[in-house]
């Protein structure tokens, strides 16, 4: 089987080049071609010796993920569905943010040149966040999460995690007709629990951070976890990046029923791990995510309990996420006024609290909806067969 060069961080690629009998610095050139310039083919790499290019072509590949579909929302949010084989698919979502001058609402990002309106949308693009997946399915099985309802299929490889970023960055650059970076932030908030795919995650994070790779700062790469405590400690040692923790409840009794992993790592242990993480973290706070479920965790008493739990315990910011409903959950989104009231209790108590804007509603790209279309494996397998599979060139 061919070696997939997307599987390597720079150190791994250097070791691979040595095995080929090449100098280590060749790895840096190769790495830059792949990640900075988006090369998918060795013949493009004109500053590498022909003999090396031939050697690479004989045994290595830069393996993209086949794109099964792409959808662009009215707000510019772009969602790709990638075929990962075996009837499984994962999604990545690009969320553009516009400068003050830009059309924040109703901005469509068609291929550049499609018309003056669209071009203005691109021109005012201010920063872009890519949300990527770490697993096909997820074993944690949170009650409110459609990926969780799907069950666990398999871990993605490092190359599959990075292929999502590689594809999005270079596809968007081509559309924008720019050689500048388009994606400024990466959040591991797609499908899967990243800390249950640790071995593949860490090299992928290193490539995102590497100056010869995507050059993102540690503050702009966020791992989101449902609370895999031992792996939080390892991430702090191996590759500290910004951390988001999916809390969703102020008490163990409630959290046990929403995030089954809580039975193994209860809230008190989780908060201790957050504080240990902060010793090495690039930001001086943890982001706690809290999905607002009507009549389940959204009462004023819940807000008071959350305030009492967190205040003075962990330096943090709260991010309230309006629940994105899907039929199998049997759960309902909290009314907007209920969410605002909840936020006020926290804010008045001195906790920085934001309410997440929902984006890409019209293409089901909001959190937790990623697996919506792929729940029925058979249907997806058939669909993937029907859809013309695109490869980058
Ligand atoms: N497994 C990790 C990261 C992926 S989920 C984690 O749980 O943190 C990313 C975020 O989306 C988490 O905060 C998760 O709780 C939230 N989420 C999942 N399903 C959701 C839904 N239906 N509506 C709103 N947010 C949801
Ligand atoms: Fe897995 Fe996160 Fe969904 Fe929970 S919320 S099932 S941990 S992807």
């Amino acid at each position: 089987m061919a070696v997939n060069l997307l599987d390597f961080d720079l150190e791994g690629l250097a070791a691979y080049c040595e095995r080929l009998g090449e100098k280590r610095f060749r790895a840096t050139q190769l790495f830059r071609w792949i990640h900075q310039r988006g090369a998918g083919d060795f013949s493009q790499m004109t500053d590498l010796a022909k003999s090396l290019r031939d050697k690479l072509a004989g045994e290595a590949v830069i393996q993209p993920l086949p794109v099964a579909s792409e959808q662009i929302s009215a707000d510019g949010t772009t969602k790709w569905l990638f075929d990962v084989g075996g009837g499984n698919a994962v999604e990545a979502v690009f969320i553009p943010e516009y400068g003050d001058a830009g059309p924040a609402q109703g901005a469509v990002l068609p291929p550049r040149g499609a018309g003056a309106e669209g071009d203005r949308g691109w021109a005012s693009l201010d920063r872009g966040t890519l949300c990527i997946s770490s697993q096909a399915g997820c074993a944690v099985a949170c009650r409110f999460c459609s990926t969780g309802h799907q069950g666990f299929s398999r871990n993605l490889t490092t190359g599959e995690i990075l292929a999502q970023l590689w594809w999005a960055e270079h596809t968007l650059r081509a559309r924008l007709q720019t050689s500048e970076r388009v994606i400024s932030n990466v959040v591991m908030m797609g499908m899967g629990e990243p800390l249950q795919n640790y071995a593949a995650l860490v090299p992928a994070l290193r490539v995102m951070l590497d100056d010869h790779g995507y050059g993102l700062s540690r503050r702009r790469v966020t791992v989101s976890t449902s609370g895999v405590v031992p792996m939080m400690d390892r991430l702090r040692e191996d590759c500290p990046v910004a951390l988001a923790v999916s809390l969703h409840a102020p008490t163990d009794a409630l959290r046990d029923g929403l995030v089954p992993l809580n039975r193994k790592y209860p809230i008190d242990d989780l908060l201790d791990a957050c504080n240990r993480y902060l010793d090495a973290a690039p930001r001086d706070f943890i982001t706690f995510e809290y999905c607002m479920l009507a009549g389940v965790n959204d009462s004023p008493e819940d807000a008071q309990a959350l305030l009492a739990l967190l205040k003075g315990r962990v330096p943090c910011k709260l991010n309230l996420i309006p629940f994105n409903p899907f039929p199998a959950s049997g759960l309902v989104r909290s009314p907007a006024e209920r969410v605002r009231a909840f936020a006020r209790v926290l804010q008045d108590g001195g906790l920085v609290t934001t309410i997440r804007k929902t984006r890409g509603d019209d293409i089901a790209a909001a959190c937790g909806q990623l697996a919506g279309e792929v729940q029925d494996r058979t249907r997806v397998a058939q669909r993937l067969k029907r859809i013309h599979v695109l490869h980058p060139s």
Side-chain angles (χ1 to χ4, degrees):
M1 248 224 341
V3 175
N4 179 9
L5 300 189
L6 291 180
D7 276 327
F8 294 129
D9 60 15
L10 185 52
E11 192 51 41
L13 194 61
Y16 175 71
C17 283
E18 278 186 329
R19 286 201 296 281
L20 289 181
E22 295 288 334
K23 296 266 188 299
R24 287 175 72 94
F25 78 87
R26 291 282 172 222
T28 307
Q29 276 176 298
L30 191 51
F31 195 76
R32 292 171 66 106
W33 269 109
I34 298 168
H35 296 291
Q36 294 192 339
R37 303 183 67 174
D41 185 325
F42 302 113
S43 63
Q44 290 169 261
M45 304 180 180
T46 43
D47 58 353
L48 294 185
K50 178 81 165 56
S51 59
L52 173 56
R53 282 187 268 154
D54 290 345
K55 209 183 312 180
L56 287 168
E59 65 164 81
V61 288
I62 299 155
Q63 185 70 55
L65 282 175
V67 175
S69 72
E70 177 190 69
Q71 286 169 278
I72 304 178
S73 153
D75 66 11
T77 302
T78 304
K79 179 176 77 168
W80 291 276
L81 182 68
F82 295 100
D83 181 359
V84 295
N88 291 306
V90 299
E91 290 184 344
V93 184
F94 173 70
I95 304 146
E97 283 175 42
Y98 305 95
D100 292 342
Q105 285 301 316
V108 186
L109 298 182
R112 207 185 169 112
E117 271 310 301
D119 285 357
R120 251 206 315 280
W122 280 114
S124 62
L125 185 66
D126 196 53
R127 87 183 190 153
T129 298
L130 188 72
C131 173
I132 62 189
S133 296
S134 56
Q135 299 180 313
C138 181
V140 179
C142 299
R143 224 182 110 194
F144 51 83
C145 172
S146 102
T147 306
H149 278 245
Q150 185 191 359
F152 176 67
S153 293
R154 69 171 176 86
N155 280 327
L156 299 188
T157 63
T158 298
E160 288 170 327
I161 295 172
L162 285 171
Q164 299 167 64
L165 174 58
W166 180 82
W167 172 265
E169 175 67 34
H170 297 292
T171 301
L172 293 167
R173 270 192 216 178
R175 273 183 202 167
L176 268 157
Q177 298 178 339
T178 179
S179 53
E180 276 169 46
R181 192 167 71 191
V182 177
I183 292 164
S184 57
N185 298 62
V186 171
V187 294
M188 299 298 306
M189 292 186 186
M191 297 165 72
E193 169 48 59
L195 295 186
Q196 288 188 340
N197 186 13
Y198 191 79
L201 174 72
V202 169
L205 295 177
R206 292 202 172 114
V207 175
M208 295 174 200
L209 301 176
D210 201 306
D211 284 339
H212 299 294
Y214 296 88
L216 299 176
S217 86
R218 289 181 187 277
R219 305 155 63 89
R220 288 168 174 265
V221 175
T222 301
V223 167
S224 176
T225 181
S226 55
V228 190
V229 164
M231 293 298 137
M232 289 164 65
D233 286 325
R234 286 194 52 192
L235 189 66
R236 179 195 56 181
E237 298 294 326
D238 295 337
C239 193
V241 292
L243 189 70
V245 171
S246 296
L247 193 57
H248 309 308
T251 63
D252 285 324
L254 188 53
R255 194 166 189 265
D256 281 350
L258 295 174
V259 184
L261 195 66
N262 195 66
R263 293 184 209 125
K264 197 159 177 197
Y265 307 115
I267 290 176
D268 200 43
D269 295 356
L270 179 57
L271 299 185
D272 284 347
C274 289
N275 277 324
R276 289 194 297 276
Y277 193 86
L278 283 173
D279 289 343
R283 291 185 181 275
D284 55 8
F285 61 91
I286 300 284
T287 303
F288 287 113
E289 291 163 283
Y290 195 102
C291 180
M292 300 293 294
L293 304 163
V296 175
N297 64 356
D298 67 342
S299 71
E301 294 73 34
D302 293 325
Q304 289 293 351
L306 189 61
L307 178 63
L309 177 72
L310 295 177
K311 189 131 196 233
R313 175 79 156 85
V314 182
C316 64
K317 292 186 181 174
L318 259 295
N319 194 2
L320 305 180
I321 314 172
F323 171 60
N324 290 300
F326 59 100
S329 71
L331 296 162
V332 177
R333 177 187 287 192
S334 303
E337 182 42 47
R338 187 97 161 160
V339 178
R340 281 196 294 272
F342 196 96
R344 264 196 307 275
V345 171
L346 298 168
Q347 285 158 351
D348 291 348
L351 290 183
V352 175
T353 305
T354 52
I355 301 171
R356 186 178 294 172
K357 286 187 298 212
T358 60
R359 297 287 304 265
D361 271 352
D362 53 335
I363 57 167
C367 324
Q369 292 185 319
L370 297 184
E373 294 167 44
V374 293
Q375 267 178 40
D376 178 342
R377 301 271 173 75
T378 331
R379 190 170 56 95
V380 146
Q382 286 165 350
R383 229 184 95 199
L384 292 179
K385 259 189 241 147
R386 277 203 314 272
I387 292 169
H388 175 65
V389 173
L390 304 164
H391 286 276
S393 56

